Amino acid sequence: MPSAPRDSTPSFRDEELLADVIAGLIGNARHAAIGASSPIPAAAALLARARGHGQPQVSLLGSRRQSFFTDGGRELFDCAGQGRIDVFFLSGGQIDGEGNINLVGIGDYAQPTVRFPGSFGSSYLYYVVPKVILFRLEHSRRTLVAKVDFVSAPGTSPDNVHRPGGPIAPITNRCLFAFERQRRRFALASVHPGHSVAEVVDNTGFAFDRPPDVPVTPAPSPETLRLLRTVVAAQLTEVYPRFVAEIFGAPEPA
């Protein structure tokens, strides 16, 4: 089981690694949209655009410069329903092995022990956006569970339900999974530097597939780090100034 030890003075931050991996998942999409309070997915989308010389189009809710929306979430839902958004990001207080997410609460619905912010438009966007990337920084058995307490948005649908959208991959602070929609199951794609397969197994509440040799997630290239610390940091400051200051410091000259 591979475990890449972390250098005592790493050349990149965990957030930069995650942004690099997510940018790769975005690929050659035409349009990526990012909701509120999602600085790492936002950095990833802006990184993908910097690599693609303007493609994909990025719509970052809460930004005047990085979005063409003038009516916030309502326009986001309209564009998604028209097939004009290719990538979106969702998370949850709980995510289970079938890709279901829980944004409502833990325990009995009438008297929950924990109350989450609410589903908002997650179930709708999960159905209509072709690439939904699940993102959860805390990789533990309380967040990645065998079965969610409440299904805010289902990971899959019956075969007779028209559903162009759904999850393609969840990424955490420990690893990257791939989602196999036909099998309704996750498969371990790579383990981040400094972590191990055994650690992922111990901290995951659901069963998942894995190859005999699980690769280590590649580190960001020098060019990727340059783009993140210059172009992306400068664009991200408008919405997430504290995040940029903590992760990148003052944006470096491009």
Side-chain angles (χ1 to χ4, degrees), residues 1-6 12 14 17-18 21 139 170-178 187-204 208-220:
M1 294 182 180
S3 176
R6 178 66 63 88
F12 59 89
D14 289 344
L17 173 72
L18 295 176
V21 175
H139 185 142
I171 184 169
T172 75
N173 61 320
R174 302 182 194 270
C175 69
L176 170 68
F177 289 105
L188 186 59
S190 69
V191 175
H192 301 332
H195 300 279
S196 69
V197 174
E199 177 189 337
V200 171
V201 172
D202 289 344
N203 288 277
T204 305
F208 56 86
D209 298 326
R210 64 179 186 268
D213 296 312
V214 179
V216 175
T217 307

Side-chain angles (χ1 to χ4, degrees), residues 4-250:
R6 178 66 63 88
D7 191 301
S8 59
T9 56
S11 59
F12 59 89
R13 299 282 298 263
D14 289 344
E15 294 84 355
E16 293 173 320
L17 173 72
L18 295 176
D20 183 28
V21 175
I22 295 170
L25 294 173
I26 292 172
N28 59 355
R30 299 167 304 163
H31 187 181
I34 304 94
S37 303
S38 301
I40 295 176
L46 294 172
L47 173 62
R49 186 174 69 183
R51 288 171 171 170
H53 306 289
Q55 190 80 4
Q57 181 173 330
V58 175
S59 294
L60 175 56
L61 290 186
S63 170
R64 292 186 176 182
R65 298 176 182 174
Q66 311 301 330
S67 177
F68 72 90
F69 296 144
T70 59
D71 199 16
R74 285 184 287 190
E75 276 188 278
L76 166 66
F77 297 146
D78 286 347
C79 283
Q82 295 164 14
R84 295 166 59 197
I85 294 178
D86 304 309
V87 181
F88 194 69
F89 301 87
L90 288 176
S91 187
Q94 292 178 324
I95 301 171
D96 71 22
E98 294 186 1
N100 302 313
I101 63 174
N102 175 10
L103 287 161
V104 171
I106 296 175
D108 180 71
Y109 180 79
Q111 294 181 316
T113 56
V114 176
R115 175 68 76 183
F116 298 137
S119 301
F120 194 51
S122 60
S123 58
Y124 171 72
L125 294 169
Y126 217 14
Y127 269 78
V128 299
V129 177
K131 283 188 176 183
V132 177
I133 298 170
L134 301 178
F135 181 80
R136 194 68 170 87
L137 277 180
E138 181 189 338
H139 185 142
S140 70
R141 287 181 174 266
R142 75 170 187 169
T143 58
L144 303 184
V145 299
K147 189 67 178 177
V148 295
D149 287 23
F150 183 91
V151 179
S152 295
T156 60
S157 301
D159 293 338
N160 63 345
V161 174
H162 175 65
R163 180 174 181 173
I168 63 161
I171 184 169
T172 75
N173 61 320
R174 302 182 194 270
C175 69
L176 170 68
F177 289 105
F179 187 67
E180 300 176 355
R181 191 177 301 189
Q182 296 300 320
R183 301 187 64 214
R184 302 171 183 252
R185 189 176 174 88
F186 290 122
L188 186 59
S190 69
V191 175
H192 301 332
H195 300 279
S196 69
V197 174
E199 177 189 337
V200 171
V201 172
D202 289 344
N203 288 277
T204 305
F206 53 76
F208 56 86
D209 298 326
R210 64 179 186 268
D213 296 312
V214 179
V216 175
T217 307
S221 68
E223 174 61 10
T224 291
L225 294 174
R226 185 192 70 80
L227 288 172
L228 283 169
R229 295 168 183 177
T230 57
V231 177
V232 172
Q235 295 171 341
L236 208 59
T237 299
E238 176 201 3
V239 181
Y240 298 111
R242 181 176 297 181
F243 174 83
V244 171
E246 290 177 354
I247 304 305
F248 304 120

